Amino acid sequence: MITGPSGTTSAVWGECKGSGAKPYLAAAHLDGAGGPAYKCSCPSRKIPCKHVLALLVLWAQDGVDARDEHPEWVGAWLTGRAARQAKAQEKAQGRGAQPADPARAEATLREREKAVANGMDELRLWLKDQVDTGLAEAPKHGYDHWDRMAKRLVDAKAGGAASTVAELPQAVRARSWPEVLLERLSMIHLLVGAHRAGDALDERLRGVVRARVGITTKADEVLANGERVRDAWRVLGRRDAPTSEGDMTAHRVWLRGADTGRLALSLSFGRSGQAPTATFRVGTEVTTELAFYPDGHRVVPVGDGDTRTAPPPEGGTVTDALDAFAAALALDPWRETWPVVLDRAAPAHDGTWHLVDRTGTALPLGTGDPWRLLAVTGGHPSTVAAEWSPRNGLVPLTVWDADGKAIAL
């Protein structure tokens, strides 16, 4: 155990005997600039793993001895963390960054786009083979049948398309699987056709297609070239969801401009179990400038802005919510979720749980667990911000109680 200057514990480490000849090496850095960090030589994909958790339990019970010296592997890990944090800080402050070579960056992008185009051409032929073979054969295919195409797309640097293909085995196992599989294959075919259209698409749709295929735009490029909108951005809600990588979590925060009415998505990623960086807090309003990605929805904050507590956002009916989702689909046909705000909506149960608006129109709740919503509202009509998905139903994100206080769900 390493003790910091103030007497607090800086890091703990230990060895744990496993099934192999060598013990597992586990460590935890408790006071790093980026929050706690964990390391273990075991093959577990969980972070922190059970060995690190056991180490922390021992430390909490005063079962870890203080040492003036530490093993070489602990020192190398801590030194590496410090170096990476310093480099990230320098980059954030604009110091020590080498100017990019525009010609080289353009050549790299051309090579990637060529690789992606080849991968999408292979995907088009693969889709034709699935239809020619017949969907009735789909349940007979093993996972490798789908995984081979997904891996080929990964090799072609089309990670977004690869993730979509990797989800097809779930469609085969779904109820009414022929309809579900045909729908998924149709949406992939639409993406292939849109990608082949290239510059014939308008700029907004082209940005959507590139993002769906997996051609990413760096945050630095967005800050330099993206559309900027200044507004009082109200934080509607936040949701954490696992990604296709398994050990990564996507942190989605939805915002809406008080003056422009424009919706924006702040999206970040982190290891499962790690707390996300709280750039925006539910129930607040941030007056700042946001830089939009080419898809017109995802954003990067330009500055910290002025944050203050916000009143409940203006809501609408279920019909308004579905109209907004239809408009979003017109700009991005592959979109599966969209934020909605319902005014005076209340939970109702009729065999399954729904959220009913003031007109009596309802949407099914997708979580299957309305108890926290009921506890906050007492079943009374309230302003509710949620994510709507025709596939997964309505997932409440935030509810405003009788006093106008935002409660994250």
Side-chain angles (χ1 to χ4, degrees):
M1 180 172 69
I2 301 175
T3 303
S6 62
T8 59
T9 302
S10 174
V12 292
W13 68 88
E15 298 182 358
C16 178
K17 181 174 176 55
S19 57
K22 295 182 179 181
Y24 295 132
L25 305 178
H29 189 194
L30 304 175
D31 64 351
Y38 316 101
K39 176 182 178 63
C40 187
S41 60
C42 75
S44 175
R45 297 179 65 183
K46 292 185 177 180
I47 301 175
C49 67
K50 61 183 180 182
H51 308 109
V52 171
L53 292 175
L55 174 65
L56 292 174
V57 169
L58 286 174
W59 168 65
Q61 297 174 347
D62 296 326
V64 180
D65 297 331
R67 298 284 180 88
D68 294 332
E69 299 180 354
H70 50 72
E72 182 179 351
W73 65 272
V74 174
W77 179 52
L78 295 177
T79 301
R81 285 204 78 222
R84 288 190 294 272
Q85 290 168 358
K87 185 176 180 180
Q89 185 175 6
E90 287 182 356
K91 183 177 180 181
Q93 296 175 349
R95 300 195 305 267
Q98 296 297 322
D101 182 351
R104 182 175 181 180
E106 185 177 351
T108 301
L109 180 59
R110 283 199 304 269
E111 287 297 319
R112 176 167 188 178
E113 290 182 339
K114 182 179 178 181
V116 169
N118 291 336
M120 296 300 284
D121 285 342
E122 289 189 35
L123 178 58
R124 181 172 61 89
L125 295 175
W126 182 83
L127 288 171
K128 184 177 184 300
D129 289 342
Q130 308 315 302
V131 175
D132 289 345
T133 303
L135 296 186
E137 298 296 315
K140 301 178 183 179
H141 297 315
Y143 182 78
D144 287 346
H145 172 79
W146 318 97
D147 193 45
R148 279 193 299 270
M149 188 65 243
K151 287 181 177 178
R152 174 64 193 100
L153 290 168
V154 170
D155 293 340
K157 306 184 186 304
S163 297
T164 305
V165 172
E167 294 173 355
L168 290 177
Q170 300 176 12
V172 178
R173 295 193 296 268
R175 183 181 300 177
S176 302
W177 67 264
E179 292 85 354
V180 176
L181 179 60
L182 181 59
E183 177 193 355
R184 304 284 179 86
L185 291 174
S186 299
M187 296 308 295
I188 296 175
H189 183 265
L190 181 64
L191 181 62
V192 171
H195 181 263
R196 286 171 63 87
D199 294 337
L201 303 175
D202 64 64
E203 185 177 356
R204 176 77 171 273
L205 182 54
R206 187 166 181 265
V208 168
V209 171
R210 288 169 65 85
R212 293 293 178 185
V213 168
I215 302 177
T216 56
T217 304
K218 294 182 179 180
D220 292 344
E221 298 176 30
V222 176
L223 289 172
N225 306 313
E227 175 193 6
R228 293 192 177 192
V229 178
R230 184 173 183 82
D231 204 338
W233 298 97
R234 292 182 178 176
V235 184
L236 300 180
R238 192 195 82 186
R239 186 182 182 191
D240 298 341
T243 67
S244 57
E245 283 77 9
D247 62 339
M248 298 291 290
T249 299
H251 310 291
R252 294 198 296 266
V253 180
W254 291 103
L255 308 105
R256 186 170 68 186
D259 296 330
T260 62
R262 185 164 180 175
L263 286 163
L265 171 64
S266 175
L267 181 63
S268 59
F269 298 90
R271 294 286 182 183
S272 296
Q274 290 185 341
T277 303
T279 306
F280 301 100
R281 290 184 290 110
V282 171
T284 63
E285 181 178 85
V286 185
T287 300
T288 188
E289 195 173 39
L290 300 179
F292 281 79
Y293 277 76
D295 66 1
H297 287 128
R298 188 179 173 186
V299 295
V300 179
V302 177
D304 293 336
D306 179 27
T307 302
R308 57 192 171 277
T309 302
E314 181 181 352
T317 65
V318 167
T319 300
D320 295 331
L322 295 180
D323 287 345
F325 182 66
L329 285 180
L331 297 173
D332 180 359
W334 304 274
R335 178 167 292 282
E336 295 186 358
T337 60
W338 190 245
V340 298
V341 181
L342 299 179
D343 176 45
R344 285 176 279 171
H349 189 264
D350 184 16
T352 58
W353 284 99
H354 291 73
L355 203 60
V356 184
D357 69 8
R358 62 179 183 267
T359 69
T361 310
L363 287 175
L365 287 175
T367 60
D369 182 8
W371 306 118
R372 182 169 172 80
L373 178 62
L374 285 167
V376 174
T377 65
H380 297 294
S382 306
T383 299
V384 180
E387 279 189 343
W388 164 248
S389 166
R391 184 182 301 174
N392 300 318
L394 194 70
V395 179
L397 305 178
T398 310
V399 60
W400 283 262
D401 64 15
D403 298 323
K405 181 182 178 181
I407 309 294
L409 301 173

